[in-house]
């Protein structure tokens, strides 16, 4: 699927912000349809072949979480949530429910479009044979999923099995924000739900092996209060 | 003791002795044994001691009784001579018994009087305290106090109250009969913090004061001081509560307004950006739109800052504390700043060993962003900006430091930069840079974590350095 043919649903109740988003999408050549309420969004989702949803969490009539939960029952379409700065908890909860990414108001058109592109790319990969690929690369960082090896600037770098699992998880979800909760569940299993300290330590160890300066990471970025993301270049 | 009371006591003593003689004479006429008469005299001594208040009359009565018995009731009658030597023993025993009886009775008497006095004092003080509790204001207290003292001392007492600044307040009691020439004795009323007033008593009354009255006066003054103190602290508490309520109201108002401004501002920013994208950079309208966009952006930051600060100051912002990696929080802040100011290169030093710090990562991230934002605004792109994190093992805290090689902080600003809405006095008028809240938020956030923040101009070169600490151990006090 060509990302420029993607059909984007914009769910936003503030008229100015909706206009701004729609204009930005227009300028970039995305087809789009707008809804100003949760109910309206549902009607559109049922009737139209939407490829990506941009969802404001502060809707007047509908809980954004409920909408995400409903959509996830039948569709894997990328969902990008838009939230105010003081809605961190909602943000993390939305990602846990299956939203792909988030934007904090106010955002710029550049930021918005970049996120949409990443999300569409990720979704396209899921549908194509990306998962079949054995060697994946971001910048100078390479992972060989068959041999379970990691290369930094072409050099094979030794990592522990846990660190490898963590990095592999990020490569499988390249560009996507993974919440702390999701990572814990994937790496340690359901039983270790809240041991974030172990994750911080594991992440610190991995970064010291793949990043030049762990406090200025190039590959795995920290999304404060939410989780981590492997950059998609 | 005045003459009148001496005469009175003498009369009682005489009357009792005469009565004893009459009874004794009656006994002798009836032919009763002399022992009965001795008993009668002992009784007389006891009664004398009881009613004449004092050792002197009891003592006199004892001696006189012994002689009277000898004189009137032993043979030969009406003579101090004695026929039977055994009477000498009777006399001696009688005298000793009389003396002891007199002494004991007098002593018991005095104790009873003292107890009565004490009781009266206690009762008076209790009544006074009760009345003071019901007093409506300071002058009411003064009125009750002077009333009680005047009654007790039987004079005209006055009370001069001092206000909070220690200046005399006009009190009603000084209105009449105030004679400049009169001589007074002043008793200060000491409160916990200051002298609350003066009790003024005429010198004449003070001169005739006995020990118990002095004691009573002290106790009364102490009660007054307590009452005034209590009244003042109640007043202060009320004022404090009112101030807090007003502060809260102001904060709520500010927050409500800011909250409503946020959405339209985000819309304006987006629209301005949209217009910018539609316009050619050479177009005359481009800088106008750019200005609009910048201003909307600035307003939006201000609104967000107000929201953060009012929430922080109100204690309404619940800290979501977790063990966070210091390097991640620093890294995220640097990434945010680098995105906004790509031309700046920010260097960073973190410890090789992972440093986990209990903190609200979002909030401390905001602190770092504010500090970096500030550094960027006062530093040229080619100059160094550095963020460092270190562990201070001695004080068991993490030390974050943002240093730049920019223009530094003016000495006159150093003590004030963390104040709300403080913008540099050393600045030029056209430099609309400081929002005046960024650093205040930093301070509030760091304090909410139980840490401290300070700013210095390093001695080893130009620029400024702002350092803050976050305790590594969560104390009980903080977790509340």
């Amino acid at each position: 699927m060509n990302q420029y043919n993607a059909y984007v649903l914009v769910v936003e109740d503030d008229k100015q912000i909706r206009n701004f988003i729609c204009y930005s999408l227009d300028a970039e050549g995305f087809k789009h349809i707008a809804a100003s309420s949760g109910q309206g969004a549902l009607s559109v989702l049922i009737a139209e072949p939407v490829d990506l949803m941009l969802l404001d969490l502060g809707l007047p009539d509908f809980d954004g979480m409920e909408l995400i939960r409903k959509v996830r029952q039948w569709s894997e379409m990328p969902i990008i949530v838009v939230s105010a700065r003081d809605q961190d908890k909602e943000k993390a909860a939305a990602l846990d429910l299956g939203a792909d990414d988030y934007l904090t108001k106010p955002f710029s058109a550049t930021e918005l479009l970049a996120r949409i592109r990443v999300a569409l790319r990720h979704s396209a990969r899921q549908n194509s044979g990306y998962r079949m690929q054995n060697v994946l690369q971001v910048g100078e960082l390479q992972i060989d999923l068959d041999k379970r090896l990691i290369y930094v600037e072409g050099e094979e770098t030794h990592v522990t099995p846990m660190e490898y699992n963590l990095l592999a998880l990020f490569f499988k979800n390249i560009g996507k924000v993974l919440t702390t909760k999701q990572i814990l569940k994937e790496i340690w299993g359901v039983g270790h739900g809240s041991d974030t300290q172990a994750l911080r330590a594991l992440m610190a160890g991995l970064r010291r092996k793949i990043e030049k300066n762990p406090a200025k990471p190039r590959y795995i970025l920290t999304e404060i209060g939410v989780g981590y993301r492997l950059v998609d270049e | 003791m005045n003459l009148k009371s001496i005469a009175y006591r003498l009369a009682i003593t005489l009357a009792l002795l005469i009565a004893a003689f009459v009874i004794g004479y009656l006994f002798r006429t009836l032919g009763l044994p002399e022992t009965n008469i001795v008993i009668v005299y002992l009784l007389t001594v006891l009664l004398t001691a009881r009613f004449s208040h004092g050792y002197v009359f009891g003592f006199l009565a004892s001696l006189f009784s012994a002689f009277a018995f000898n004189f009137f009731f032993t043979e030969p009658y009406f003579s101090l001579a004695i026929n039977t030597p055994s009477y000498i023993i009777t006399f001696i025993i009688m005298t000793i018994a009389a003396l002891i009886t007199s002494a004991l009775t007098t002593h018991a008497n005095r104790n009873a009087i003292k107890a009565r006095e004490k009781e009266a004092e206690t009762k008076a003080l209790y009544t006074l305290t009760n009345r003071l509790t019901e007093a409506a204001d300071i002058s009411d207290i003064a009125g009750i106090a002077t009333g009680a003292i005047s009654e007790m001392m039987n004079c005209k007492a006055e009370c001069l109250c001092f206000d909070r600044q220690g200046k005399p307040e006009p009190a009603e009691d000084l209105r009449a009969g105030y004679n400049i020439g009169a001589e007074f004795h002043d008793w200060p009323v000491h409160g916990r913090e200051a002298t609350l007033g003066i009790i003024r008593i005429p010198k004449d009354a003070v001169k005739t004061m006995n020990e118990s009255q002095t004691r009573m006066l002290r106790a009364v003054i102490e009660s007054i001081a307590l009452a005034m103190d209590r009244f003042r602290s109640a007043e202060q508490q009320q004022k404090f509560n009112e101030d807090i309520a007003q502060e809260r109201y102001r904060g709520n108002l500010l927050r409500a307004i800011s909250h409503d401004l946020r959405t339209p501002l985000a819309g304006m920013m987006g629209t301005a950006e949209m217009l910018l994208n539609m316009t050619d950079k050479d177009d005359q309208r481009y800088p106008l739109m750019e200005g609009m966009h910048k201003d909307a952006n600035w307003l939006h930051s201000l609104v967000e800052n107000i929201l953060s600060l009012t929430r922080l100051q109100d204690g309404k912002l619940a800290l979501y504390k977790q063990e966070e990696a210091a390097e991640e929080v620093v890294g995220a802040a640097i990434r945010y700043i680098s995105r906004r100011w790509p031309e700046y290169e920010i260097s960073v030093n973190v410890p090789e060993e992972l440093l986990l710090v209990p903190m609200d990562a979002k909030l401390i991230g905001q602190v770092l962003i504010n500090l970096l934002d500030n550094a960027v605004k006062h530093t040229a792109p080619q100059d160094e900006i550095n963020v460092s994190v270190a562990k201070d093992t001695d004080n068991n805290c993490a030390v974050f430091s943002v240093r730049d090689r920019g223009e530094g902080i003016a000495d006159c600003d150093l003590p004030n930069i963390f104040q709300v809405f403080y913008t540099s006095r050393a600045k030029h008028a056209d430099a609309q840079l400081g929002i005046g809240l960024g650093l205040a938020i930093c301070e509030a956030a760091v304090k909410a974590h139980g840490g401290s923040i300070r700013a210095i101009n390093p001695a080893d070169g130009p620029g400024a350095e702002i350092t803050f600490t976050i305790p590594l151990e969560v104390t009980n006090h903080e977790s509340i």
Side-chain angles (χ1 to χ4, degrees), chain B residues 37-48:
Chain B
I37 301 169
V38 173
I39 298 296
V40 168
Y41 270 105
L42 282 180
L43 182 68
T44 309
V45 171
L46 199 144
L47 290 174
T48 311

Side-chain angles (χ1 to χ4, degrees), chain A residues 116-154:
Chain A
I116 291 177
R117 268 187 232 114
V118 167
L120 286 173
R121 204 148 59 210
H122 180 65
S123 144
R125 280 192 196 123
Q126 298 294 354
N127 296 332
S128 70
Y130 178 80
R131 280 185 182 184
M132 293 296 147
Q133 276 186 299
N134 295 327
V135 180
L136 303 172
Q137 182 157 7
V138 170
E140 298 289 323
L141 181 66
Q142 215 174 39
I143 188 167
D144 188 329
L145 294 170
D146 260 359
K147 296 179 186 155
R148 293 178 65 88
L149 288 177
I150 285 172
Y151 301 91
V152 179
E153 291 176 356

Side-chain angles (χ1 to χ4, degrees), chain B residues 90-359:
Chain B
T90 313
F91 289 153
I92 292 169
I93 292 175
M94 185 180 159
T95 312
I96 293 170
L99 282 174
I100 293 172
T101 310
S102 140
L104 283 178
T105 313
T106 312
H107 189 68
N109 231 356
R110 292 212 160 159
N111 279 350
I113 290 168
K114 260 188 199 158
R116 261 207 306 278
E117 270 176 9
K118 271 256 162 67
E119 199 196 320
E121 269 174 32
T122 316
K123 210 169 160 187
L125 272 182
Y126 178 73
T127 323
L128 178 69
T129 315
N130 265 354
R131 284 172 61 200
L132 285 176
T133 317
E134 287 158 13
D137 54 32
I138 290 274
S139 75
D140 211 2
I141 291 175
I144 292 168
T146 47
I149 293 172
S150 303
E151 197 179 312
M152 188 182 80
M153 310 268 305
N154 209 3
C155 66
K156 175 90 183 83
E158 284 155 0
C159 183
L160 183 67
C161 297
F162 294 155
D163 61 14
R164 239 170 267 283
Q165 280 75 42
K167 288 182 190 125
E169 264 174 13
E172 286 175 46
D173 306 86
L174 290 174
R175 64 200 182 293
Y178 186 76
N179 186 352
I180 303 292
E183 287 192 337
F184 292 101
H185 201 285
D186 285 347
W187 301 74
V189 181
H190 289 298
R192 253 174 320 188
E193 281 152 15
T195 306
L196 300 169
I198 280 176
I199 300 286
R200 183 161 275 188
I201 298 164
K203 267 253 160 72
D204 298 340
V206 176
K207 266 185 213 152
T208 59
M209 234 171 22
N210 62 24
E211 195 192 326
S212 83
Q213 272 176 312
T214 314
R215 205 173 50 227
M216 183 71 182
L217 184 63
R218 290 238 161 86
V220 168
I221 289 175
E222 211 145 285
S223 301
I224 297 165
L226 272 177
M228 285 185 173
D229 253 350
R230 200 187 48 230
F231 188 80
R232 284 213 171 159
S233 57
E235 227 176 29
Q236 222 158 2
Q237 183 64 40
Q238 198 187 350
K239 194 173 170 327
F240 184 65
N241 285 348
E242 277 168 12
D243 283 354
I244 284 191
Q246 203 167 11
E247 197 61 41
R248 187 160 295 159
Y249 172 75
R250 219 175 291 152
N252 284 342
L253 188 69
L254 201 56
R255 191 156 48 236
I257 293 171
S258 305
H259 201 270
D260 284 355
L261 282 176
R262 196 156 59 163
T263 309
L265 273 173
M268 278 165 71
M269 282 170 69
T271 313
E273 196 194 347
M274 193 161 86
L275 283 170
L276 269 178
N277 292 343
M278 289 163 120
T279 316
D280 202 38
K281 276 205 177 164
D282 301 328
D283 198 318
Q284 282 181 326
R285 284 168 291 188
Y286 191 86
L288 297 178
M289 288 167 198
E290 203 174 23
M292 206 163 89
H293 183 248
K294 226 164 119 187
D295 281 353
N297 206 338
W298 183 83
L299 268 179
H300 192 274
S301 315
L302 177 66
V303 160
E304 290 287 355
N305 277 338
I306 290 174
L307 282 173
S308 303
L309 190 64
T310 50
R311 262 191 230 117
L312 265 174
Q313 285 181 337
D314 234 25
K316 272 196 182 162
L317 192 72
L319 289 189
Y320 181 64
K321 265 201 211 176
Q322 268 196 325
E323 295 275 347
E324 301 279 357
E327 61 193 45
E328 291 186 351
V329 181
V330 170
I334 292 177
R335 182 157 58 95
Y336 180 86
I337 291 292
S338 298
R339 236 179 8 215
R340 272 180 63 187
W341 315 86
E343 64 275 29
Y344 283 85
E345 181 61 32
I346 299 165
S347 65
V348 57
N349 304 98
V350 295
E352 186 49 38
E353 199 182 319
L354 172 69
L355 178 58
L356 286 172
V357 185
M359 61 177 159

Side-chain angles (χ1 to χ4, degrees), chain A:
Chain A
M1 179 180 61
N2 184 337
Q3 65 179 56
Y4 293 107
N5 292 332
Y7 192 33
V8 178
L9 166 62
V10 179
V11 190
E12 168 63 63
D13 60 316
D14 184 78
K15 199 179 161 202
Q16 297 305 324
I17 297 178
R18 198 169 61 228
N19 282 347
F20 153 67
I21 294 174
C22 289
Y23 168 78
S24 304
L25 292 175
D26 260 345
E28 206 65 12
F30 287 109
K31 283 190 289 170
H32 57 82
I33 182 166
S36 59
S37 67
Q39 210 53 54
L42 265 182
S43 325
V44 172
L45 284 164
I46 289 163
E48 310 259 349
V50 171
D51 293 316
L52 182 143
M53 176 163 71
L54 202 63
L55 171 67
D56 188 332
L57 285 179
L59 289 178
D61 67 325
F62 219 83
D63 184 6
M65 305 295 160
E66 195 49 44
L67 193 56
I68 296 172
R69 208 174 283 130
K70 280 206 167 111
V71 170
R72 278 289 170 258
Q73 282 171 3
W74 81 81
S75 167
E76 285 296 316
M77 76 168 76
I79 299 175
I80 299 175
V81 295
V82 175
S83 72
R85 204 158 86 174
D86 48 8
Q87 285 181 310
D88 285 332
K89 277 193 185 130
E90 284 93 332
K91 213 150 65 187
L95 291 170
D96 280 336
L97 276 177
D100 290 70
D101 206 343
Y102 69 88
L103 275 166
T104 306
K105 275 190 216 172
F107 48 83
S108 69
T110 330
E111 218 177 333
L112 168 74
L113 295 169
R115 296 298 171 81
I116 291 177
R117 268 187 232 114
V118 167
L120 286 173
R121 204 148 59 210
H122 180 65
S123 144
R125 280 192 196 123
Q126 298 294 354
N127 296 332
S128 70
Y130 178 80
R131 280 185 182 184
M132 293 296 147
Q133 276 186 299
N134 295 327
V135 180
L136 303 172
Q137 182 157 7
V138 170
E140 298 289 323
L141 181 66
Q142 215 174 39
I143 188 167
D144 188 329
L145 294 170
D146 260 359
K147 296 179 186 155
R148 293 178 65 88
L149 288 177
I150 285 172
Y151 301 91
V152 179
E153 291 176 356
E155 296 275 319
E156 187 189 325
T157 303
H158 174 77
V159 294
T160 66
M162 289 287 260
E163 284 165 357
Y164 173 84
N165 287 345
L166 185 62
L167 193 56
L169 175 67
F170 278 110
F171 266 104
K172 282 171 197 157
N173 293 284
I174 192 160
K176 191 180 164 192
V177 180
L178 294 175
T179 65
T180 313
K181 207 167 153 189
Q182 288 169 337
I183 299 170
L184 284 169
K185 198 176 138 201
E186 289 292 328
I187 303 293
W188 277 274
V190 183
H192 297 271
S194 59
D195 194 2
T196 53
Q197 283 191 45
L199 173 58
R200 305 258 182 269
L202 184 65
M203 183 60 77
L206 178 61
R207 273 183 175 149
R208 274 160 181 71
K209 287 169 185 169
I210 62 169
E211 306 278 5
K212 281 206 180 80
N213 185 344
K216 275 168 92 176
R218 181 183 164 195
Y219 301 113
I220 301 177
L221 306 179
T222 314
E223 302 284 336
I224 291 290
V226 179
Y228 301 91
R229 167 212 311 270
L230 177 64
V231 292
D232 184 8
E233 288 185 332

